[in-house]
Amino acid sequence: MKEEAIYIPRRKRLVEELAQKGITDKMTLDAISRVPRQCFVDITFANMAYEDKALPIGHGQTISQPFTVAKQTENLRLKGGEKVLEIGTGSGYQAAVLAECGVELFSIERQVPLYAATKKKLTDLGYTIRCVLGDGFEGLPNHAPFDRIIVTAGAAELPEKLLRQLKIGGLMILPFGSGKNLEMYRIERVSDVDFKSEKLGPCAFVPMLKGINH
Ligand code: SAH
């Protein structure tokens, strides 16, 4: 894909800004330096694509702030090759960043138009990502267990079925809380029945909702 030259220095500056804000994982920063974020925002916001801001993507949803994408990705502690499930495909930007990290990615979206448009966009950009229309609370039992699960919407209740789709030793990054009081958690499945969680700091996401929205 050939992209407009103006975006290249902007993307480089964004990566520097993320590093200054505390992102240290090289795989994450390198992945972000390869994804054309201007292709994942509404065309009217293309000029703002490399500002560290969440932006509207239609259907009442947003593309996550680059710092949030970087923080979630870094906290997945990827090495490459992991089987990963993302909840909330949205614009597809986080999915593209994960694909650039060399993982095998499944991504679920509950809104039909977003699912269809983003699946096509990711394919057109050359990404191999298994996009699925569904309810993230249910996960993908047919493809479980996963090494990593990343939830990109705020959950007001624990997604129990998803937790059970983690491998032992696997990690889930979950924005959890009520309304605007969301905290990012990393949850590790330490045994069949035991989970260990740690807080990674406050965060902002649109809510994780149940069912499919046709
Ligand atoms: N990862 C996205 C973030 C999009 S915002 C990006 O990089 O752009 C969160 C997305 O989660 C929205 O598209 C919303 O429709 C979706 N979502 C919310 N609840 C969901 C659920 N239960 N299952 C699947 N997707 C969900």
Side-chain angles (χ1 to χ4, degrees), residues 24 28 35 41 56 58 62 80 90-91 96-97 110 113 119 123 129-130 143 152 154-155 163 173-174 192 211:
T24 55
T28 300
V35 179
V41 301
T62 52
S91 70
V97 170
R110 65 180 289 280
K119 181 182 162 96
T123 306
I129 294 164
R130 307 269 288 272
H143 296 282
T152 70
L163 286 167
I173 304 294
L174 178 72
D192 206 27

Side-chain angles (χ1 to χ4, degrees), residues 61-62 86 88 90-91 94 109-110 114 135-136 152 208-209:
Q61 305 305 320
T62 52
E86 178 193 28
S91 70
Q94 171 76 71
E109 172 58 51
R110 65 180 289 280
L114 258 182
D135 176 356
T152 70
M208 183 172 176
L209 302 173

Side-chain angles (χ1 to χ4, degrees), residues 16 41 66 70 72 93 98 101 112 133 144 147 156 173 181 194:
E16 286 162 6
V41 301
Q72 286 201 296
Y93 179 68
L98 290 169
C101 292
V112 176
L133 176 68
D147 297 296
I173 304 294
N181 291 321
D194 296 312

Side-chain angles (χ1 to χ4, degrees), residues 180-206:
K180 295 210 178 303
N181 291 321
L182 288 176
E183 184 87 36
M184 202 186 286
Y185 285 84
R186 177 169 44 216
I187 303 173
E188 180 181 355
R189 183 170 198 173
V190 285
S191 75
D192 206 27
V193 289
D194 296 312
F195 294 85
K196 192 170 80 186
S197 75
E198 63 194 290
K199 285 188 181 185
L200 303 172
C203 58
F205 283 91
V206 295

Side-chain angles (χ1 to χ4, degrees), residues 7-214:
Y7 294 117
I8 295 164
R10 291 185 190 179
R11 187 156 61 241
K12 190 162 178 279
R13 273 201 301 278
L14 172 65
V15 171
E16 286 162 6
E17 186 181 338
L18 295 174
Q20 273 159 17
K21 288 180 174 172
I23 304 297
T24 55
D25 180 53
K26 190 170 179 316
M27 184 183 259
T28 300
L29 294 171
D30 285 353
I32 288 174
S33 77
R34 289 194 294 271
V35 179
R37 192 170 186 258
Q38 73 275 13
C39 301
F40 293 87
V41 301
D42 188 282
I43 187 96
T44 52
F45 292 102
N47 229 357
M48 293 169 73
Y50 291 99
E51 292 178 25
D52 188 20
K53 290 194 175 115
L55 294 169
I57 54 170
H59 315 283
Q61 305 305 320
T62 52
I63 177 172
S64 303
Q65 184 186 349
F67 179 76
T68 304
V69 171
K71 189 168 169 186
Q72 286 201 296
T73 308
E74 171 169 86
N75 277 297
L76 283 171
R77 295 184 171 151
L78 298 169
K79 294 201 161 62
E82 293 88 349
K83 187 163 149 190
V84 181
L85 174 62
E86 178 193 28
I87 308 303
T89 317
S91 70
Y93 179 68
Q94 171 76 71
V97 170
L98 290 169
E100 291 283 358
C101 292
V103 305
E104 181 194 0
L105 184 63
F106 295 77
S107 183
I108 310 182
E109 172 58 51
R110 65 180 289 280
Q111 297 221 35
V112 176
L114 258 182
Y115 154 76
T118 301
K119 181 182 162 96
K120 179 176 183 318
K121 178 171 57 190
L122 288 167
T123 306
D124 291 348
L125 286 168
Y127 290 107
T128 308
I129 294 164
R130 307 269 288 272
C131 292
V132 179
L133 176 68
D135 176 356
F137 277 104
E138 302 295 322
L140 287 180
N142 294 342
H143 296 282
F146 297 94
D147 297 296
R148 302 285 188 269
I149 299 178
I150 169 173
V151 180
T152 70
E157 60 183 84
L158 269 185
E160 307 258 356
K161 290 184 187 169
L162 270 185
L163 286 167
R164 278 188 259 120
Q165 291 175 28
L166 264 184
K167 274 187 196 163
I168 293 172
L171 302 174
M172 179 189 292
I173 304 294
L174 178 72
F176 182 68
S178 59
K180 295 210 178 303
N181 291 321
L182 288 176
E183 184 87 36
M184 202 186 286
Y185 285 84
R186 177 169 44 216
I187 303 173
E188 180 181 355
R189 183 170 198 173
V190 285
S191 75
D192 206 27
V193 289
D194 296 312
F195 294 85
K196 192 170 80 186
S197 75
E198 63 194 290
K199 285 188 181 185
L200 303 172
C203 58
F205 283 91
V206 295
M208 183 172 176
L209 302 173
K210 290 196 173 156
I212 294 173
N213 188 8
H214 290 276

